[in-house]
């Protein structure tokens, strides 16, 4: 859901009314396609404030409902959707106020995006070297290995600070 509000379609009756809620007032959202959600859970979304871009980032003044794909004590990875950009991945560490965009889901890693990711992780040589060396289809075919690397490197940095 990419908007300031979420509209819930009530399909219980012929003249049932839809309900509208501000995304900032929602703590999480479950989505299913059946009358028994315990049997057919499709997704679980949470509101996330994020921005996209490095030089002049687009910052949204309201949260978007995003899917939590990976969560650890070091990082949370979300999948977000945008009308123009399509699906893309975000990351957020516990000390970040806003999540930041990583790359678009299912797309090749362009040289421009490779450069912006290197800039984003310039203080983490292991991540930066990984980004520089991977094949352009690696993130399209296997994004999880990158998410795990981010988690591992951020976790080891925290241990080094102690």
């Amino acid at each position: 859901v990419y908007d300031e509000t979420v509209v819930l379609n009530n399909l219980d009756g012929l003249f049932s009314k839809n309900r509208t809620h501000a995304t900032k007032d929602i703590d999480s959202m479950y989505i299913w396609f059946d009358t028994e959600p315990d049997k057919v859970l499709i997704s679980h979304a949470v509101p996330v404030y994020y921005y996209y871009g490095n030089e002049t980032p687009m910052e949204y003044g309201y949260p978007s409902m995003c899917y939590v794909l990976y969560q650890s004590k070091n990082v949370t990875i979300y999948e977000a959707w945008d009308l123009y950009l399509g699906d893309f991945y975000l990351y957020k560490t516990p000390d970040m106020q806003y999540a930041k965009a990583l790359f678009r889901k299912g797309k090749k890693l362009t040289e421009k995006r490779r450069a912006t990711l290197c800039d984003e992780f310039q203080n983490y040589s292991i991540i930066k070297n990984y980004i520089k060396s991977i094949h352009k289809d690696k993130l399209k075919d296997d994004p999880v290995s990158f998410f795990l690397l981010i988690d591992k490197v951020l976790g080891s940095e925290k241990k080094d600070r102690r």
Side-chain angles (χ1 to χ4, degrees):
V1 176
Y2 173 76
D3 209 343
E4 293 182 52
T5 58
V6 174
V7 177
L8 302 175
N9 297 323
N10 190 346
L11 303 175
D12 293 335
L14 183 60
F15 298 106
S16 299
K17 293 184 178 182
N18 294 340
R19 293 177 293 164
T20 302
H21 302 277
T23 53
K24 65 181 177 58
D25 297 334
I26 299 172
D27 63 353
S28 68
M29 181 171 69
Y30 291 91
I31 302 166
W32 64 88
F33 296 108
D34 202 337
T35 56
E36 299 179 45
D38 294 340
K39 295 183 179 178
V40 193
L41 179 65
I42 302 300
S43 61
H44 177 215
V46 296
V48 177
Y49 286 92
Y50 71 93
Y51 60 89
Y52 196 93
N54 281 359
E55 294 172 16
T56 52
M58 296 186 304
E59 184 179 310
Y60 301 97
Y62 52 85
S64 293
M65 299 304 290
C66 301
Y67 304 113
V68 178
L69 296 183
Y70 178 83
Q71 189 167 26
S72 72
K73 62 182 178 182
N74 305 313
V75 67
T76 302
I77 305 293
Y78 302 98
E79 183 177 337
W81 179 83
D82 180 89
L83 182 61
Y84 302 106
L85 301 171
D87 291 321
F88 57 97
Y89 299 112
L90 305 166
Y91 85 101
K92 184 177 181 294
T93 63
D95 58 333
M96 292 170 65
Q97 183 178 0
Y98 285 81
K100 289 187 78 176
L102 287 168
F103 55 91
R104 291 174 59 193
K105 179 181 178 181
K107 301 291 183 184
K108 294 178 183 178
L109 183 62
T110 64
E111 290 307 312
K112 182 177 179 181
R113 192 67 196 149
R114 188 184 303 266
T116 57
L117 283 173
C118 284
D119 290 344
E120 176 65 25
F121 294 104
Q122 66 184 345
N123 296 330
Y124 306 98
S125 59
I126 294 172
I127 298 174
K128 191 173 175 179
N129 291 337
Y130 177 83
I131 294 165
K132 286 180 176 180
S133 65
I134 59 173
H135 187 272
K136 64 182 178 180
D137 289 329
K138 177 67 175 169
L139 296 180
K140 178 178 105 175
D141 299 335
D142 179 24
V144 175
S145 61
F146 184 51
F147 304 154
L148 295 174
L149 177 68
I150 293 170
D151 183 25
K152 181 180 176 183
V153 170
L154 294 179
S156 66
E157 182 202 70
K158 284 183 181 179
K159 289 179 187 174
D160 291 343
R161 286 187 197 170
R162 293 180 201 162

